[in-house]
Amino acid sequence: GTSGSDLDLYTLRPKPAVIFFDCDDCLYFDNWKIAAYLTTKIEKHCQTEFGLDEGYAYKLYKKHGTALRGLIAEGYLSRDCSKSIDGFLETVHDLPIHALLSP
């Protein structure tokens, strides 16, 4: 890792090819299209991977601040298993960004 801003010194994970920032629809105003797509992916992943009922991912979000934090708090994911956490993050954030954003 690195505490500076020199990306050449970054060693924790592979260097990102793209960094996408979305601060609750304020950088890329699209009438919440990206947020809705992401919410749907999180919901579907929680249903298929953890057998959760429809709407439970949103309940986790409301109770714990994020669905991921809720999955960890309620024992669906282990805080100590970065592979499962990274897998969740990679799966739900794999968005067709070029289709969702236009110049």
Side-chain angles (χ1 to χ4, degrees):
T2 182
S3 60
S5 60
D6 188 347
L7 192 57
D8 291 329
L9 299 176
Y10 181 78
T11 60
L12 288 176
R13 295 184 175 141
K15 293 178 188 170
V18 174
I19 298 174
F20 170 68
F21 296 95
D22 183 45
C23 299
D24 297 331
D25 209 36
C26 63
L27 290 179
Y28 307 101
F29 182 72
D30 67 350
N31 202 27
W32 300 98
K33 184 169 66 173
I34 294 171
Y37 195 94
L38 182 61
T39 299
T40 299
K41 284 200 76 171
I42 292 169
E43 182 68 42
K44 297 278 187 218
H45 184 77
C46 288
Q47 288 174 340
T48 59
E49 293 299 314
F50 306 111
L52 301 179
D53 292 337
E54 184 175 344
Y56 198 75
Y58 185 68
K59 289 179 183 178
L60 292 173
Y61 162 75
K62 294 293 281 180
K63 182 176 179 182
H64 300 281
T66 68
L68 177 58
R69 186 177 291 149
L71 290 168
I72 293 168
E74 298 193 10
Y76 295 101
L77 283 174
S78 171
R79 178 182 304 280
D80 299 325
C81 185
S82 63
K83 184 178 178 182
S84 63
I85 292 171
D86 287 346
F88 172 84
L89 292 171
E90 287 175 22
T91 300
V92 301
H93 289 95
D94 183 21
L95 306 176
I97 203 65
H98 295 293
L100 294 170
L101 286 179
S102 57

